[in-house]
Amino acid sequence: MNHDPLTSPDTCAVHGGVDNYQFRPVVPPIYATSTFSFESAAQGEALFAGKHEGYIYSRLGNPTVGALEKCVAELERGHKAFACSSGMAAIQTTLFALLEAGDHLICSEAVYGSTSTLIESIMGNLGIESTFVDTSDLNTVRRAMRPNTKVVYVETPGNPTLVITDIQGISEVAHEGGAQVVVDNTFMSPILQQPLLCGADIVVHSMTKFLNGHADVVAGAIIVKDEVMYAQFRKVLNQLGGVLGPFEAFLVHRGIKTLAIRMERHCESAIKVALFLADHPAVEWVRYPGLKSHPQYELGRKQMSGAGGLISFGLRGELVAGREMMNALRLCTLAVSLGGVETLIQHPATMTHASMGRESRKRAQITDGLVRLSVGIENVDEIIADLAQALDKASQPTPTAKAMKAHPAPRTECVGSKLL
Ligand code: LCS
């Protein structure tokens, strides 16, 4: 690290993890090697015994990956980070590091579909109990705590309902009961939210999303607070093996350099798109943390420095109209994933959250009509124009369109600033 560790996230994003390498390159080189030679048998032994610092084998550590890990740890104001082969690998490693058979976990109802399935089915089969609750309600969380609760797992804002959880409040509740708090910070990125500073113990990311930002890599990260936790997690990741390769690490590290300006643009554009949707007669409801109509709008203002790039909404014609609209889009791309420079749209009930099953979706208020939009960095007027033409096509021929014109949706109150 060549700069003050407490520089702003914007500066960390550009300089984080860059060290004094041989030949002084400005960008960390790609160490495309699976293994590293030892100077001598004694040095090999010392490296394995942890008496020497250095690289052994790329599953246990690689300089290109290490540079990215340093950058992410700095951005999240953590002690150290691990770069993983996917967001799911990061989550799985975290849960294996913290839980064993007989332990109990509390999880937000609204989480990414695979996270829910991992916890409920796979961890459940291994004897780890779980309770899914609305973590935006701290009393419900308090009531769900048990003597064997070891982890409270939170996604905030949650995927895809964008429900916001009070990180400081939930950390207090969890810590009182002896549990640790894991926050999935994928939707905000460390530019807009730093959960460790709010009292959380561990942060996880799907770096596939905003951190990389260019929809060309699958990657994850875990950020921990101290060396004891680092050693505990290192041991588990070394054995599970879900590490990131050097080429992907290079790409993610490059993507992070523009993270701060991308997030600014995502926020600026998303509020404009949210306002447009809230005003459109074919749209029944809009959920965006920057709209005053969001149920946890005030909490969002306190905890986040921007409202992010994700919007959820429902059309008056529900799923049928939503499908028609998605099929009619020309600029916005019909695809899962989020947080890239391209605007993406998808239907959680049949796509990202299909694996959860109908009952779990109902519990999490992921309705069949919910459409999720990840606003990219294209010209926002062109994004809106594309949505407008698709909404018109979706609503025109149906009888409900006439009814909608007769009873337009009430205009939702909002704030126009990217910083809430
Ligand atoms: N956490 C969150 C909040 C996510 O949205 C995702 C993926 C993951 C973790 C898992 O990360 P991955 O292993 O894919 O890197 N979310 C996706 C989504 O909403 N659409 O496609 C993937």
Side-chain angles (χ1 to χ4, degrees), residues 86-89 91 112 115 155 159 184 186-187 206-209 218-219 336-338 346 352-353 372:
S86 67
M88 290 314 302
I91 295 166
Y112 173 52
T115 304
E155 242 182 54
N159 185 357
D184 184 331
T186 300
F187 271 33
S206 167
M207 298 201 291
T208 315
K209 314 292 161 27
V218 172
V336 296
S337 202
L338 58 103
Q346 66 107 7
T352 49
H353 293 69
R372 191 191 73 190

Side-chain angles (χ1 to χ4, degrees), residues 90-104:
I91 295 166
Q92 172 213 5
T93 303
T94 300
L95 298 180
F96 270 101
L98 297 176
L99 294 159
E100 54 186 40
D103 288 344
H104 175 242

Side-chain angles (χ1 to χ4, degrees), residues 56-70:
I56 299 172
Y57 179 65
S58 282
R59 174 159 47 77
L60 315 179
N62 172 288
T64 313
V65 180
L68 167 66
E69 290 172 334
K70 265 188 173 178

Side-chain angles (χ1 to χ4, degrees), residues 299-341:
L299 172 62
R301 274 169 66 92
K302 202 179 92 193
Q303 179 167 287
M304 295 138 54
S305 59
L310 273 299
I311 301 171
S312 289
F313 62 100
L315 300 189
R316 287 186 187 276
E318 301 214 345
L319 179 56
V320 174
R323 278 200 172 130
E324 277 179 41
M325 189 258 318
M326 288 188 282
N327 286 335
L329 287 162
R330 293 199 290 253
L331 173 66
C332 306
T333 305
L334 180 54
V336 296
S337 202
L338 58 103
V341 292

